[in-house]
């Protein structure tokens, strides 16, 4: 079976740390497979907030997730601190990919790589929207 491969971006534009909480742990005693997506969501929200945006308002339009992929690389456990590094790639007229690298803050070991495909979305008309030029400018600074 072919495995998903997620390349890291040339540069990361944001990073944040988060602890693995007890609710993130599964019956195997390590971080559950779905927990990494929730943590990536939090990292994405923090990144947007650092630029004065929210998922519902990026220069007047929102964003919606079109797809997601995860490569699990190592276990993480309750109380571990994960450093999330974010970068963007594969942008087009309507969206971009956000690539996340989650690293164990103690060991430096890569825990996971994720990619979420983001599409800009007008929640008023319920239609895909063009990526705002002011957002593109901020990304390219």
């Amino acid at each position: 079976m072919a495995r998903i491969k997620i390349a890291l971006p040339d540069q990361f534009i944001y990073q944040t740390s988060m602890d693995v909480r007890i609710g993130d742990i599964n019956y195997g005693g390590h971080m559950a497979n779905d927990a990494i997506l929730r943590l990536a969501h939090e990292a994405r929200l923090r990144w947007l907030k650092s630029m004065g945006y929210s998922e519902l308002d990026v220069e007047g339009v929102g964003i919606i997730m079109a797809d997601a992929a995860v490569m699990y690389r190592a276990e993480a456990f309750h109380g571990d601190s994960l450093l999330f590094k974010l970068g963007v790639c594969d942008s087009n007229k309507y969206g971009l990919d956000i690539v996340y690298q989650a690293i164990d803050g103690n060991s430096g070991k890569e825990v996971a790589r994720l990619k979420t495909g983001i599409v800009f979305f007008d929640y008023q008309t319920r239609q895909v929207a063009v990526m705002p030029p002011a957002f593109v400018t901020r990304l390219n600074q």
Side-chain angles (χ1 to χ4, degrees), residues 77-91:
F77 301 96
H78 176 252
D80 285 353
S81 180
L82 299 180
L83 174 65
F84 278 80
K85 298 163 124 185
L86 280 67
V88 297
C89 59
D90 296 329
S91 62

Side-chain angles (χ1 to χ4, degrees), residues 30-81:
H30 54 225
M31 185 172 59
N33 61 2
D34 60 324
I36 196 72
L37 280 171
R38 286 192 307 274
L39 293 171
H41 185 193
E42 177 69 24
R44 183 175 61 249
L45 287 173
R46 290 179 184 186
W47 169 58
L48 290 169
K49 187 175 181 179
S50 76
M51 295 191 298
Y53 299 134
S54 73
E55 288 186 316
L56 295 175
D57 185 9
V58 177
E59 303 292 342
V61 294
I63 62 170
I64 194 166
M65 191 174 357
D67 57 38
V70 181
M71 288 174 49
Y72 301 99
R73 311 287 285 177
E75 293 178 294
F77 301 96
H78 176 252
D80 285 353
S81 180

